[in-house]
Amino acid sequence: MMIIIILLTTLITSFLTIILNLSLKIKNARKNRKNAVGFFHPYTNDGGGGERVLWCAVKAIQDETSNIDCVIYTGDHDSSPLSLLSRASDRFGVLLISPPKVVHLNKRKWIEEKTYPRFTMIGQSLGSVYLSWEALCKFTPLYYFDTSGYAFSYPLARIFGCKVISYTHYPTISSDMVSRVHSRSAMYNNDNLVAQSIWLSRCKVLYYSVFSWMYGLVGSYADLVMVNSSWTQSHILKLWKIPERTRRVYPPCDTSGLQAMPLERRSDTPTIISVSQFRPEKAHSLQLQAFAKVIDKLDTDMPRPKLQFVGSCRNKGDEDRLHKLKGLAIDLKVENDVEFHENILYKDLVKLLGAAIAGIHSMTDEHFGISVVEFMAAGAIPIAHKSAGPMMDIVLEEDGEKTGFLAQTVDEYADAILQVLRMPEAARLKMAAAARKRAARFSEQKFYEDFKASVRPILSRAS
């Protein structure tokens, strides 16, 4: 009995000691908060639209106020203030006023997908709390700005005394995801094993329902939420229930530079371009299969088109997908008609966009679709997935003129590509002009205006 009492006393004492130490850390951190905006963006080299938003957000804060430092929390240990300054310029054409400060994170593995083979969402979400703890202990800012979608870190940031600002690209979970599991539809986030089992599907619906409630709770701790599209806004309003603190701010798309390019295409080889990270949800294989069908259906007098995949790889998983995509091109016998451009500079991307007659996008429920806007601004006819951002915000008529095509299946994508290839030049130019005008609604300048208007009140009233 005495041994049990000693063990219990030791455990209780250890637990209380841990709690006391954590409380002291938080108290000291709150006391030493810096007049800064801390951007929680663990992957600063992903090369996607989210990184463009990060650098444009940093620039907007620097424009808005000169007495607040911008600090980047990153798990990329080769990042430095000067390298990030150069990256923003070279990869995205964003010229920061001054280099951001950098806080390196050592525990990024806790938010990596491979760490959680099962229950990935909850694992990554709880892992983000641990990672944000490291971040906030190392540097505690007045303003905690999440640009990567880690809502579970918001209550912790509030405990540290930060004002929480979020730019949410897409909800971690949505009613659409729950519906797909309920209907037992197989997708990248619902594998065949679960989809084919009634019992497993019911368990996953329960898991998703509990997670949705938790996600709604932590998201409500944000002092300001900016969302990037009508689709994202509808889901966030339903989940987080803070309409008075939610603003729609379309992401910054490089429309000014691209709009200066001629709409005419000089090459005799019609080019279709695809721009996105090599992630599973981007559905590159669908694009390749549709392109192979196009090659089979080409009229004898039509020039043979070319498909260009342009994107970046975040990790080994992305690299493996790229390797498999190249193998699929060989299997479909179109390897000589397909090009792969990995991790290219922004200036090189602009050249490729300016030579393409069409741009293809195939992600289901793409929250917005920056690449689709870039296609339109550059004069490439968009062929986008018929869902979410592209359908609700982007590929809409402009002055009564059609601006592109929406598709869902391989056959629909192939038909849309063939329509563009067979389109008379005058008709193509007319549609490209309408698409370009539509794209102007999503310019970087518009982002800066709406972003500053959203953050200005919270920056001015927080002490």
Side-chain angles (χ1 to χ4, degrees):
M1 179 64 71
M2 182 61 67
I3 294 175
I4 294 175
I5 294 174
I6 293 172
L7 285 173
L8 286 175
T9 303
T10 303
L11 287 173
I12 293 171
T13 303
S14 299
F15 177 74
L16 292 176
T17 300
I18 292 171
I19 295 298
L20 179 61
N21 288 336
L22 293 179
S23 299
L24 289 173
K25 273 192 175 184
I26 293 172
K27 183 178 179 180
N28 290 333
R30 288 175 65 98
K31 183 179 179 180
N32 296 311
R33 283 176 299 164
K34 302 296 190 297
N35 189 29
V37 178
F39 290 88
F40 192 67
H41 201 101
Y43 296 91
T44 48
N45 63 353
D46 62 11
E51 190 182 348
R52 172 180 285 281
V53 169
L54 168 66
W55 300 128
C56 288
V58 171
K59 179 177 172 58
I61 294 293
Q62 290 179 340
D63 282 340
E64 184 66 18
T65 176
S66 59
N67 64 344
I68 295 180
D69 290 328
C70 289
V71 178
I72 311 297
Y73 296 113
T74 176
D76 297 313
H77 287 267
D78 57 348
S79 297
S80 67
L82 290 179
S83 72
L84 292 182
L85 182 74
S86 297
R87 183 174 177 82
S89 174
D90 295 342
R91 292 296 296 272
F92 300 99
V94 178
L95 302 177
L96 302 181
I97 295 174
S98 60
K101 296 182 179 179
V102 175
V103 174
H104 290 117
L105 304 176
N106 299 317
K107 298 177 175 61
R108 193 175 67 180
K109 71 174 183 179
W110 296 108
I111 61 167
E112 292 177 358
E113 183 178 344
K114 65 181 180 182
T115 306
Y116 311 98
R118 289 287 180 263
F119 301 101
T120 308
M121 281 196 311
I122 190 66
Q124 288 181 300
S125 296
L126 295 178
S128 72
V129 179
Y130 187 42
L131 188 64
S132 62
W133 170 268
E134 179 192 359
L136 292 167
C137 285
K138 287 184 172 180
F139 183 93
T140 310
L142 281 178
Y143 311 97
Y144 176 86
F145 200 144
D146 170 41
T147 49
S148 295
Y150 293 109
F152 277 68
S153 65
Y154 301 173
L156 181 65
R158 289 283 289 269
I159 290 173
F160 272 81
C162 307
K163 290 288 183 179
V164 177
I165 306 173
S166 165
Y167 189 94
T168 302
H169 299 274
Y170 56 91
T172 302
I173 192 166
S174 67
S175 56
D176 295 337
M177 293 169 63
V178 179
S179 296
R180 286 194 196 100
V181 177
H182 194 272
S183 63
R184 297 168 63 193
S185 301
M187 270 190 76
Y188 64 89
N189 59 353
N190 191 44
D191 61 34
N192 283 321
L193 178 64
V194 175
Q196 292 172 4
S197 169
I198 296 176
W199 185 81
L200 288 177
S201 292
R202 287 176 177 173
C203 289
K204 192 164 184 177
V205 167
L206 177 61
Y207 164 50
Y208 273 12
S209 298
V210 173
F211 185 86
S212 294
W213 175 81
M214 295 172 64
Y215 183 65
L217 177 64
V218 296
S220 67
Y221 278 83
D223 294 283
L224 169 65
V225 180
M226 288 174 276
V227 294
N228 69 341
S229 69
S230 301
W231 182 85
T232 302
Q233 184 175 29
S234 66
H235 284 287
I236 289 300
L237 288 175
K238 183 178 179 180
L239 289 161
W240 293 1
K241 297 180 175 61
I242 47 173
E244 71 283 357
R245 288 175 264 157
T246 304
R247 307 284 183 273
R248 190 195 314 166
V249 178
Y250 288 122
C253 306
D254 179 24
T255 57
S256 58
L258 295 173
Q259 284 177 336
M261 306 170 73
L263 292 176
E264 294 79 9
R265 299 301 188 245
R266 298 178 181 177
S267 174
D268 294 330
T269 302
T271 302
I272 296 96
I273 190 170
S274 170
V275 181
S276 67
Q277 294 172 322
F278 293 103
R279 288 155 42 189
E281 63 268 29
K282 296 300 183 179
H284 290 94
S285 59
L286 183 150
Q287 301 175 13
L288 201 51
Q289 291 164 3
F291 182 73
K293 279 184 174 287
V294 168
I295 296 297
D296 290 339
K297 294 181 179 181
L298 277 180
D299 301 334
T300 55
D301 60 339
M302 291 176 63
R304 199 173 178 93
K306 178 169 56 179
L307 175 61
Q308 295 174 327
F309 286 108
V310 183
S312 59
C313 294
R314 304 163 300 168
N315 49 42
K316 189 178 184 301
D318 288 354
E319 291 170 358
D320 290 342
R321 274 183 283 276
L322 176 57
H323 180 72
K324 289 180 181 178
L325 197 63
K326 292 177 180 179
L328 181 59
I330 295 172
D331 294 341
L332 294 171
K333 297 180 173 56
V334 293
E335 69 272 18
N336 294 326
D337 304 298
V338 179
E339 295 177 358
F340 296 90
H341 300 266
E342 183 184 355
N343 298 325
I344 64 174
L345 294 177
Y346 180 71
K347 63 179 182 179
D348 297 321
L349 170 61
V350 169
K351 290 179 182 177
L352 294 176
L353 285 169
I357 65 165
I360 187 169
H361 157 280
S362 54
M363 176 178 168
T364 301
D365 287 341
E366 173 81 87
H367 36 287
F368 180 69
I370 288 181
S371 65
V372 180
V373 175
E374 290 177 337
F375 298 155
M376 297 164 75
I381 304 298
I383 303 171
H385 196 275
K386 191 178 181 180
S387 64
M391 181 179 72
M392 297 173 68
D393 291 314
I394 303 174
V395 189
L396 304 178
E397 288 190 353
E398 186 70 22
D399 297 334
E401 296 291 337
K402 193 172 181 179
T403 60
F405 299 89
L406 296 170
Q408 288 180 299
T409 66
V410 170
D411 288 334
E412 288 175 353
Y413 275 98
D415 290 343
I417 294 172
L418 284 169
Q419 285 188 62
V420 175
L421 292 174
R422 292 168 177 163
M423 197 178 288
E425 182 66 3
R428 187 191 69 79
L429 290 173
K430 185 177 181 181
M431 184 179 289
R436 174 169 283 181
K437 185 175 181 181
R438 177 84 193 163
R441 298 170 179 262
F442 312 107
S443 66
E444 279 191 9
Q445 185 56 42
K446 186 70 168 68
F447 170 84
Y448 288 131
E449 292 171 1
D450 293 346
F451 182 94
K452 291 177 183 178
S454 298
V455 302
R456 195 171 291 132
I458 195 168
L459 293 180
S460 63
R461 73 169 179 261
S463 56

